[in-house]
Amino acid sequence: MKRLIEKGLMFGNLVEVSSPVLIDRYNRALKHLTGKTTALPDFHIDISGYSPEVGDELGDQLYLNPNGVNRQFILLTTEQKRAPLLGEKFSTTRPLLRRFIDENEPQLFALTAQDAVAGELDNSVFELGSPDRLFDIRRIEVRADTTRSHVANAQVLADKITRFQTAPDAWFDDVLIAEMIALARETGDVTRNPVALSPVAAEDASFWTAHFGGLYLFRAEDKSVVITTDPEVTTKADATYHLDQRNAIARFLDANGLVEPIIKARGVNGAAILRQKMDFILVDAAAELGRDVRDRRQLRSLAQQLGEALPDAYQGLAATLRWAEGAGPWPRIPSDHPAYFYLLRAASGPNRDMVNRLLSELAPLDVRQLFICHKQLFYRTYAGWPETKKAFVANFLEAEYQVDKAGARAALFGDEPAMEPADEPEDLIDIVGPWGAVRRMR
């Protein structure tokens, strides 16, 4: 993992905390949330304020995420919005925290200038004894305040000001006036500079969770579909599939408009993406054969040497590429073919990132997509690779992804999904609901 850390591919973009003032604020917030403090002279934090160094010191990597369910967070600066989320348990966590910071940035900037902001992603579920408890997570709301309760006190002060201005004889209420003066010392002038944080929440969202070995919960209205990585997991969803049930998963994704063929997607160079996926498959084949490959020229040479012994996934992508370049017929590649999921990307929509994460599990040799969409799985699989594959992949990601992350993501997956509600339904799939085909598949 040292190679990944040195190249900024692991623990990258964390926020350094080394100022005594910030450490003191962090400890106040940490004490407020957990009853613990850190004695470290410096450490690094992610978007939620979690620090791997503090986790090591406390002997608890879930010190801000008890039971892995209700994520707590500490904000020392709005710059944390650019940091990753380490130890991710739910795919909704980082987008929700990022949206909270974005929508409240001026207020948070002012608050963190004098104190830490501490809070929680509250979903009313405190433990997950079984997969069915996941269905009880219907609303996730961000709740936050400073350690000195600036936001709550500001609301109390605003209420007292209203009472002072409207209640009969309030001008002669010495107790009320004294309370207002005391609160104003903490909050400042809330009439000119209101201290309030806009509520941010997600309701009935589909999500991925690391619990139960990794599980995808798709839901809309009263229907739900679960895709699990553990074949022993069962749920009360309308349909539950394991990753090995490729035909059923393919039907579900296609019938509900969740995927599109890369080669036909608008605004991308589909042929270039397929070539890169073929290179990744060759890198894996070279590692299996104990061959050291360092560049694309050596990969092409290996492909020529292997000939018909090339992996089926490679040959399926090559056939599609020939069609795209006008050098061959459209290939018939069924959903149980090893190349099938390498040919897809998520369609635009609120579930785009989650579907791309799922596709990275179904097509794991595409190491770039795996790294971008499912870092936890990437790090786990990376640890078991031969050194030659580790070096090739790390060098590739440093040279062709790190230099322009946003551009690479846009080129591969399209524009970011909109935060606004979707337009009124127009076609049949939208009218019957995203999971309308589930009943037919059962």
Side-chain angles (χ1 to χ4, degrees):
M1 297 297 180
K2 183 179 178 182
R3 181 188 285 113
L4 296 179
I5 297 173
E6 290 173 345
K7 294 180 181 296
L9 298 168
M10 190 174 188
F11 301 136
N13 291 335
L14 295 180
V15 175
E16 182 180 13
V17 181
S18 55
S19 160
V21 172
L22 291 182
I23 293 173
D24 179 63
R25 291 177 186 173
Y26 187 87
N27 270 328
R28 286 205 307 270
L30 189 60
K31 183 79 171 178
H32 174 73
L33 292 174
T34 70
K36 303 173 183 178
T37 58
T38 175
L40 296 177
D42 57 80
F43 48 90
H44 298 79
I45 58 175
D46 69 1
I47 188 173
S48 72
Y50 161 77
S51 167
E53 298 105 321
V54 173
D56 285 340
E57 178 196 23
L58 299 178
D60 180 11
Q61 294 298 338
L62 292 177
Y63 70 94
L64 282 182
N65 197 13
N67 298 320
V69 180
N70 290 274
R71 186 85 182 211
Q72 297 172 315
F73 62 89
I74 299 172
L75 295 179
L76 298 180
T77 168
T78 55
E79 289 302 305
Q80 284 174 239
K81 70 179 184 178
R82 296 181 175 84
L85 177 69
L86 304 180
E88 184 182 31
K89 294 296 184 182
F90 287 89
S91 60
T92 50
T93 301
R94 189 181 187 281
L96 203 54
L97 280 174
R98 176 65 191 258
R99 184 153 63 92
F100 173 71
I101 297 173
D102 282 340
E103 294 185 10
N104 292 281
E105 190 156 7
Q107 296 90 337
L108 290 171
F109 183 84
L111 290 171
T112 55
Q114 53 186 323
D115 197 3
V117 172
E120 179 180 0
L121 271 65
D122 182 13
N123 62 30
S124 77
V125 173
F126 300 102
E127 55 80 27
L128 292 173
S130 74
D132 286 342
R133 288 286 284 155
L134 293 168
F135 294 83
D136 296 331
I137 301 176
R138 310 298 305 190
R139 176 181 173 85
I140 307 170
E141 184 175 0
V142 180
R143 301 181 184 275
D145 202 342
T146 66
T147 60
R148 296 186 175 122
S149 302
H150 285 86
V151 177
N153 288 338
Q155 183 59 53
V156 173
L157 177 56
D159 292 341
K160 289 182 181 296
I161 291 172
T162 300
R163 176 182 160 196
F164 178 77
Q165 293 173 333
T166 58
D169 299 326
W171 284 83
F172 305 104
D173 190 335
D174 292 339
V175 174
L176 175 61
I177 294 171
E179 290 173 345
M180 289 167 55
I181 293 172
L183 285 170
R185 290 195 183 103
E186 288 289 327
T187 65
D189 186 352
V190 297
T191 59
R192 294 186 179 181
N193 302 293
V195 182
L197 296 174
S198 300
V200 172
E203 299 196 43
D204 291 332
S206 299
F207 58 80
W208 166 88
T209 176
H211 292 281
F212 309 107
L215 180 152
Y216 298 81
L217 171 58
F218 294 87
R219 61 185 174 191
E221 298 177 357
D222 60 342
K223 295 183 180 180
S224 59
V225 171
V226 166
I227 298 174
T228 75
T229 57
D230 183 349
E232 301 300 318
V233 171
T234 59
T235 74
K236 64 180 183 180
D238 293 284
T240 301
Y241 305 123
H242 178 250
L243 286 180
D244 286 344
Q245 296 176 273
R246 295 169 66 90
N247 291 338
I249 293 173
R251 288 197 300 272
F252 165 69
L253 294 175
D254 180 65
N256 294 288
L258 294 173
V259 292
E260 62 184 4
I262 293 171
I263 205 67
K264 295 182 178 180
R266 291 183 297 176
V268 301
N269 187 341
I273 295 174
L274 293 190
R275 285 196 189 90
Q276 192 62 73
K277 290 175 181 281
M278 291 163 64
D279 283 350
F280 294 142
I281 294 171
L282 278 177
V283 169
D284 184 74
E288 291 289 329
L289 296 171
R291 301 279 292 274
D292 184 7
V293 293
R294 300 179 184 276
D295 53 42
R296 288 188 174 93
R297 182 186 59 80
Q298 292 178 324
L299 286 175
R300 298 293 181 268
S301 176
L302 176 63
Q304 293 170 358
Q305 294 172 34
L306 290 177
E308 292 189 3
L310 284 163
D312 290 341
Y314 183 98
Q315 299 208 43
L317 293 179
T320 306
L321 183 61
R322 286 194 295 272
W323 171 83
E325 295 177 339
W330 173 254
R332 182 183 179 278
I333 298 179
S335 57
D336 58 356
H337 192 285
Y340 181 80
F341 288 106
Y342 288 95
L343 293 166
L344 301 176
R345 74 172 193 177
S348 179
N351 294 321
R352 190 199 68 169
D353 290 346
M354 181 171 147
V355 172
N356 277 329
R357 185 193 296 259
L358 173 61
L359 291 175
S360 73
E361 293 210 58
L362 294 165
L365 298 184
D366 184 351
V367 291
R368 175 172 53 186
Q369 177 157 326
L370 189 64
F371 176 78
I372 295 173
C373 302
H374 201 337
K375 282 187 172 58
Q376 289 186 0
L377 182 57
F378 174 87
Y379 293 139
R380 288 203 306 268
T381 55
Y382 175 93
W385 292 343
E387 283 300 315
T388 54
K389 183 174 180 179
K390 288 180 180 179
F392 182 95
V393 172
N395 291 336
F396 171 85
L397 291 173
E398 179 187 35
E400 301 198 29
Y401 173 66
Q402 284 289 85
V403 294
D404 184 12
K405 297 178 183 179
R409 291 179 64 91
L412 292 170
F413 310 126
D415 296 330
E416 291 293 320
M419 301 293 288
E420 296 78 15
D423 295 333
E424 290 298 316
E426 295 179 355
D427 59 32
L428 181 60
I429 290 177
D430 287 336
I431 292 171
V432 300
W435 322 143
V438 171
R439 194 175 305 277
R440 295 195 298 273
M441 291 188 285
R442 294 181 62 185

